[in-house]
Amino acid sequence: MRASLIQIAVDPDESVNSRRQRAAALVREQRGADLVVLPELWPVGAFAYQSYAEEAESLDGPTYDVMAKAASDAGVWLHAGSIVEKAAGSGSAEGSSTLYNTSLILSPAGELVSTYRKIHRFGFDEGEAVMMGAGDELVIVPLPGTVAGTGAGTGFTLGLATCYDLRFPELFRGLVDAGAQAFVVPAGWPARRREHWTLLARARAVENQAYVLACGTAGTHAGVEQAGHSIVVDPWGEVLAEAGPDEEVLTVELDPAKVATTREQFPALKDRRLGLADPRRDC
Ligand SMILES: O=C(O)CCC(=O)C(=O)O
């Protein structure tokens, strides 16, 4: 199974619409891949808080529109990264829970098959943490060819998370319990904490014996230099591919059987002591 991660640059000198067109062209170039991934909030910029309200869109808004065509032209499953979602039927006041950081998953026919609202909002007392609502649903997406629970077959069950979520291992355990074999983590991770990004991506892979496909942005927006360094880690914790700091497309071959093999040969997940500390209780 081939996956391409598009580490697009998000800079203030490019308009949101122009970036959408450029991202679509990059998706179209990935024909032949099974799965293509874009990063977190790439249309507006994860740290461009002042533009969130203006660029907020509905699930069938301009980003979906452009990405649906690109996915169907390329014939790929597309994790289109995340958008600032303006939830239908709600008001637009800043500070209310009407905006969400929402990932869009599209089929090769361009249909929106799944969405994920980021559960852990970043920013402490500002930005996303106060301007957006928090998601409260774990989301998995079985790709075609997945054989549930076995790891056999030619596809994966994806578990979805976004950026800051990477710091919360209980979310990933919950996704594993729901059947995830590969985590897809779009991000807008800052360069100054790049070591955490790499370390946490590998940790989530090792502890859950799952692939991690973590796709960040390049560039600098709202004064925050982005880390880039998108990374793909296998279920044993080996780094299969890692990008540099600039715009880049990372393409890797993944073996769905490796999840099952790793879990069988080193069955640590079976040794959990859930009665003592059940990570599924709270995430
Ligand atoms: O946890 C971090 O260091 C970065 C998180 C972040 O930038 C985000 O979630 O947007």
Side-chain angles (χ1 to χ4, degrees):
M1 176 183 182
R2 184 180 303 168
S4 291
L5 279 58
I6 299 177
Q7 177 176 288
I8 196 164
V10 182
D11 290 299
D13 51 6
E14 182 179 36
S15 73
V16 169
N17 276 333
S18 144
R19 190 156 42 250
R20 281 197 190 101
Q21 296 306 327
R22 212 161 54 75
L26 287 166
V27 170
R28 285 189 179 92
E29 284 173 19
Q30 308 316 312
R31 172 166 277 285
D34 299 291
L35 173 68
V36 176
V37 182
L38 278 158
E40 178 190 32
L41 297 180
W42 59 269
V44 59
F47 286 87
Y49 305 143
Q50 71 289 349
S51 303
Y52 280 2
E54 190 186 339
E55 298 297 344
E57 50 186 307
S58 57
L59 293 178
D60 59 356
T63 299
Y64 165 74
D65 212 31
V66 170
M67 288 296 125
K69 290 188 185 71
S72 64
D73 286 350
V76 297
W77 283 85
L78 176 61
H79 185 311
S82 69
I83 59 166
V84 179
E85 179 200 351
K86 186 170 181 177
S90 50
S92 60
E94 242 184 50
S96 70
S97 294
T98 61
L99 305 182
Y100 294 92
N101 185 338
T102 303
S103 291
L104 310 178
I105 316 302
L106 285 76
S107 74
E111 295 156 340
L112 184 64
V113 293
S114 197
T115 60
Y116 165 67
R117 287 177 171 164
K118 186 177 181 181
I119 290 177
H120 302 94
R121 294 163 299 170
F122 183 66
F124 308 109
D125 304 334
E126 59 170 3
E128 177 181 63
V130 295
M131 297 174 74
M132 290 197 183
D136 55 11
E137 272 180 50
L138 274 62
V139 178
I140 58 160
V141 183
L143 295 182
T146 306
V147 182
T150 66
T154 54
F156 283 117
T157 294
L158 306 179
L160 306 188
T162 304
C163 202
Y164 188 48
D165 281 336
L166 197 56
R167 294 185 182 273
F168 299 86
E170 63 276 19
L171 168 60
F172 290 77
R173 266 300 147 84
L175 290 168
V176 164
D177 288 337
Q181 297 157 325
F183 303 120
V184 183
V185 190
W189 201 276
R192 62 178 169 273
R193 293 187 293 281
R194 176 163 81 76
E195 294 299 332
H196 291 192
W197 163 252
T198 310
L199 181 67
L200 291 166
R202 292 192 69 191
R204 298 294 86 87
V206 171
E207 72 197 0
N208 296 296
Q209 304 182 307
Y211 281 99
V212 171
L213 286 72
C215 180
T217 49
T220 298
H221 60 271
V224 181
E225 185 192 350
Q226 296 293 289
H229 284 269
S230 297
I231 188 166
V232 179
V233 190
D234 80 2
W236 191 246
E238 300 289 340
V239 176
L240 298 183
E242 183 174 349
D246 301 324
E247 183 163 302
E248 183 174 338
V249 178
L250 212 53
T251 298
V252 282
E253 295 289 340
L254 309 174
D255 176 7
K258 199 162 186 179
V259 177
T261 318
T262 306
R263 290 178 183 177
E264 273 159 29
Q265 291 177 352
F266 195 84
L269 286 172
K270 290 189 181 148
D271 282 338
R272 292 160 71 191
R273 302 285 304 278
L274 296 178
L276 296 178
D278 185 348
R280 291 172 298 182
R281 276 191 311 211
D282 186 20
C283 62

